[in-house]
Amino acid sequence: MQNDHFWFTHVRLETGYRLENGVVTGTETGIFHMRVEQGNIAQIEPETFVFEDSLPKRDMNGKLMLPSFRDMHIHLDKTYYGGQWKAPSIATNGIFTRFEEERELLPKQLPVARERAGKLIELLLQAGTTRIRSHCNIDPSIGLQNLEATLQAAEDYKGKAGIEIVAFPQHGLLLSQSVSLMREALRNGASLVGGVDPATVDGDIEKSLQTTMELAVEADADIDLHIHDGGHLGLFTFQRLADLTEEAGWQGRVTISHALALADIPQEKAAAFADRLAGLGISIASSVPLGRTIPIPLLHERGVKVWLGDDSITDHWSPFGKGDVLEKAGTLAERFHLVDEVELGQTLGFITGGVTPLNRNGERMWPRVGDEASVVFVDAGCSAEAVARRSERVAVFFKGNLVAGALPAAR
């Protein structure tokens, strides 16, 4: 359903916190009407507003409107989703077992890669996600063919989701001698430079990071590196990446995915390093692993931008994954005991690019006139309930276009 100009009517929005003796006891909401024009919110009016135009009206029947979600770490190009169920094998040699499997598996899956990527995008849309960052294998065994399939899937969903692709040398930038392939990928549709474990996989932290930064500067591209290495090895890798970020002037353009070393070091050391990350605008992407969770609230408090993502969805790396970042936000809240009205509501920001309807003081921050009309309507009374209960997504809009779900029945 597409219209350049229309009204959302009877939309529930958060208006502030309910206080009793200075303590937040709930979230106040109200019913509003919003005019959408060419994909953006052009007008916000109270429920008593009298319409004087004949624009189409989409009655949302009091459903709560939230900013649509962002999945900032997923692998669209090698999922089993949409195909026959298959559990992964035991990784007898860690990630190197998976590399060996991929050399045979990815060429075999190539004929269905575009279709399965599309199925996975549909799953994400149904869960309320309209912004996707996908890592895509670039290596000698598959060349640029997975990139081509992923770009085709992204084109299939143009107008339904915003999809950016990270050129990802899964088998090691240096180890698999993929530098020239990475350059080619960045000239042919990939928009970010990826990488994986410069120490464990490439065996040369300095050369791997230097080469990654050179590729980024050459292509004027942002960076998103998988760094699983733990303890002091991982922390040293972060520090060298931070040094290179500063030297290259790449502040605000680097993401560390996983960053598991931050789960291995004392809190005071993590806090000190978080200050440096924040100062350089280096963000963190996490899938909120249950067994080794990095201190996400601490990072956030120190000013580090932290995003959530699903990572693998039913592939040869993992049999798990729902494609639902609201589920990830709820898991984060549970893991760190974020249980009150304010903390639960603010947790939404980890999956919306930092946007929450209310700030911690209860002031309404979203939506505002001029904001993009990429929104999700949920069956919940407030953001806190949506996070805690992983509430049902009723309808999802991307730039004003309905992309998943359906409009509620007429009142």
Side-chain angles (χ1 to χ4, degrees):
M1 180 182 296
Q2 298 188 17
N3 291 108
D4 288 338
H5 299 72
F6 65 90
W7 286 92
F8 284 129
T9 63
H10 304 104
V11 173
R12 184 170 302 279
L13 297 177
E14 297 176 28
T15 56
Y17 289 129
R18 185 165 55 253
L19 299 175
E20 293 182 14
N21 300 319
V23 176
V24 175
T25 60
T27 302
E28 299 283 1
T29 65
I31 300 298
F32 295 83
H33 309 301
M34 290 189 300
R35 181 168 60 85
V36 174
E37 183 175 321
Q38 296 181 337
N40 294 316
I41 296 169
Q43 189 175 348
I44 303 174
E45 300 293 348
E47 186 177 18
T48 55
F49 177 73
V50 177
F51 297 97
E52 296 180 352
D53 60 51
S54 59
L55 291 177
K57 295 175 179 60
R58 298 177 178 179
D59 190 345
M60 302 317 297
N61 202 18
K63 299 300 181 185
L64 179 70
M65 189 178 87
L66 299 175
S68 64
F69 308 148
R70 300 180 179 210
D71 192 311
M72 295 300 286
H73 188 114
I74 200 164
H75 297 264
L76 295 174
D77 67 316
K78 51 190 178 185
T79 183
Y80 292 156
Y81 185 77
Q84 187 174 6
W85 160 259
K86 185 179 181 182
S89 65
I90 298 297
T92 55
N93 192 26
I95 61 176
F96 294 98
T97 296
R98 301 297 182 225
F99 297 170
E100 287 298 323
E101 291 172 345
E102 286 190 353
R103 291 186 182 99
E104 293 187 12
L105 177 65
L106 295 189
K108 288 180 180 178
Q109 288 196 169
L110 189 60
V112 295
R114 176 181 180 177
E115 176 188 353
R116 290 187 180 176
K119 296 284 188 182
L120 188 46
I121 293 168
E122 286 282 358
L123 183 68
L124 299 178
L125 288 173
Q126 290 163 16
T129 294
T130 63
R131 300 284 180 179
I132 301 165
R133 176 178 289 185
S134 176
H135 298 260
C136 182
N137 267 47
I138 305 295
D139 61 72
S141 63
I142 199 62
L144 300 187
Q145 294 180 95
N146 266 29
L147 174 62
E148 292 167 4
T150 307
L151 286 168
Q152 289 169 347
E155 182 64 25
D156 293 339
Y157 286 84
K158 186 177 180 180
K160 291 187 174 183
I163 302 172
E164 59 181 1
I165 299 174
V166 184
F168 181 45
Q170 172 76 84
H171 303 165
L173 178 64
L174 306 181
L175 181 65
S176 64
Q177 300 180 350
S178 294
V179 176
S180 61
L181 274 172
M182 288 286 287
R183 282 197 175 94
E184 196 174 347
L186 291 162
R187 289 193 297 262
N188 287 276
S191 54
L192 288 90
V193 179
V196 58
D197 294 333
T200 300
V201 175
D202 275 340
D204 189 331
I205 295 173
E206 195 65 26
K207 186 176 180 181
S208 181
L209 290 178
Q210 287 274 7
T211 306
T212 297
M213 186 59 73
E214 288 167 7
L215 286 168
V217 171
E218 180 183 303
D220 191 20
D222 291 0
I223 293 171
D224 191 332
L225 297 181
H226 290 55
I227 303 181
H228 311 88
D229 288 330
H232 294 294
L233 179 61
L235 189 60
F236 178 77
T237 306
F238 301 161
Q239 290 169 336
R240 284 302 298 138
L241 177 59
D243 292 341
L244 292 171
T245 298
E246 189 168 17
E247 291 169 16
W250 236 239
Q251 290 92 332
R253 304 190 65 176
V254 175
T255 300
I256 302 174
S257 284
H258 305 300
L260 296 182
L262 293 174
D264 302 335
I265 60 178
Q267 290 279 296
E268 57 273 17
K269 196 168 186 178
F273 189 64
D275 291 341
R276 188 166 190 219
L277 293 176
L280 293 170
I282 296 176
S283 58
I284 300 291
S286 177
S287 61
V288 198
L290 296 178
R292 197 176 171 196
T293 315
I294 62 175
I296 292 173
L298 181 149
L299 293 168
H300 179 66
E301 288 165 10
R302 308 298 286 212
V304 180
K305 293 180 179 178
V306 183
W307 318 127
L308 305 187
D310 279 292
D311 200 5
S312 294
I313 299 287
T314 314
D315 60 15
H316 75 113
W317 288 82
S318 170
F320 306 114
K322 295 182 178 180
D324 185 350
V325 289
L326 184 59
E327 176 74 29
K328 293 287 182 182
T331 298
L332 171 61
E334 288 191 64
R335 172 67 179 76
F336 290 99
H337 198 61
L338 307 175
V339 298
D340 66 34
E341 191 83 2
V342 176
E343 293 294 348
L344 282 167
Q346 292 301 302
T347 301
L348 189 73
F350 290 108
I351 60 170
T352 61
V355 179
T356 53
L358 303 177
N359 66 15
R360 289 182 176 275
N361 297 323
E363 300 165 322
R364 195 171 94 185
M365 306 302 292
W366 179 94
R368 293 175 173 170
V369 170
D371 287 343
E372 186 176 281
S374 294
V375 300
V376 53
F377 289 91
V378 299
D379 193 7
C382 61
S383 297
E385 181 184 1
V387 171
R389 298 182 61 81
R390 287 73 153 173
S391 299
E392 178 188 358
R393 273 42 55 93
V394 176
V396 184
F397 290 81
F398 178 62
K399 297 182 179 179
N401 294 327
L402 180 67
V403 296
L407 298 179
R411 286 153 52 103

